[in-house]
Amino acid sequence: MACRISELVIDATDPGRLAAFWSEVLGYGELDRDEDGSIEIGPPDAGFGGPQPTLILSPTGDPRPAKLRLHIDVSPTDRDQDAELERLLALGAKPVDIGQTGDESWHVLADPEGNEFCLLRTRIQPV
């Protein structure tokens, strides 16, 4: 037997804002909204348990204390890296300097709450 990642949970001071951002980035839709303010997003045609993990944006009042020990990498599916970078910046992503040399094949960005993620160069097939 083996496990597979089914959900990623991200603490958020504004779950709605992050849910909207990541839904646009990934082409996800809202799947569920809990009474505690958590919002689950995922592939609209598959949802929980599908081939891609869902994201749960969980409300927190605590500001992010330090760099996350986990980050998300995304790859373009229907355009090249430069075009996808422009789209992500238009959605509210911000470039982040974590000591890159400038020779990397990826871009380091942050979502609207400052969570770092990387945009990789290689285009992959959509699921």
Side-chain angles (χ1 to χ4, degrees), residues 76-104:
T77 59
D78 63 350
R79 63 197 80 194
D80 67 20
Q81 184 187 43
D82 290 337
E84 185 62 3
L85 177 61
E86 291 303 314
R87 186 180 83 87
L88 296 176
L89 294 172
L91 290 173
K94 303 280 188 232
V96 176
D97 182 357
I98 59 167
Q100 302 94 303
T101 65
D103 293 327
E104 293 82 7

Side-chain angles (χ1 to χ4, degrees), residues 44-85:
D45 55 339
F48 177 82
Q52 296 173 279
T54 61
L55 296 180
I56 297 177
L57 295 304
S58 180
T60 182
D62 295 332
R64 195 179 104 193
K67 182 178 186 249
L68 295 177
R69 295 182 70 184
L70 171 81
H71 72 265
I72 296 172
D73 288 345
V74 297
S75 297
T77 59
D78 63 350
R79 63 197 80 194
D80 67 20
Q81 184 187 43
D82 290 337
E84 185 62 3
L85 177 61

Side-chain angles (χ1 to χ4, degrees), residues 1 7 10 12-13 21 23 32-33 39 43 52 62 67-68 72-73 76 84 92 95 102-104 108-109 115 123 127:
M1 289 299 262
E7 299 174 330
I10 301 171
T13 56
F21 175 81
S23 289
D32 192 27
R33 191 177 286 249
I39 301 171
Q52 296 173 279
D62 295 332
K67 182 178 186 249
L68 295 177
I72 296 172
D73 288 345
E84 185 62 3
D103 293 327
E104 293 82 7
V108 181
L109 304 167
N115 300 304
R123 188 184 305 189
V127 176

Side-chain angles (χ1 to χ4, degrees), residues 7-23 28-42 54-60 113:
E7 299 174 330
L8 296 172
V9 180
I10 301 171
D11 287 345
T13 56
D14 186 347
R17 181 176 179 204
L18 274 192
F21 175 81
W22 284 108
S23 289
Y28 278 13
E30 186 174 315
L31 302 175
D32 192 27
R33 191 177 286 249
D34 287 342
E35 291 178 15
D36 71 355
S38 294
I39 301 171
E40 183 175 16
I41 62 172
T54 61
L55 296 180
I56 297 177
L57 295 304
S58 180
T60 182
E113 290 199 5

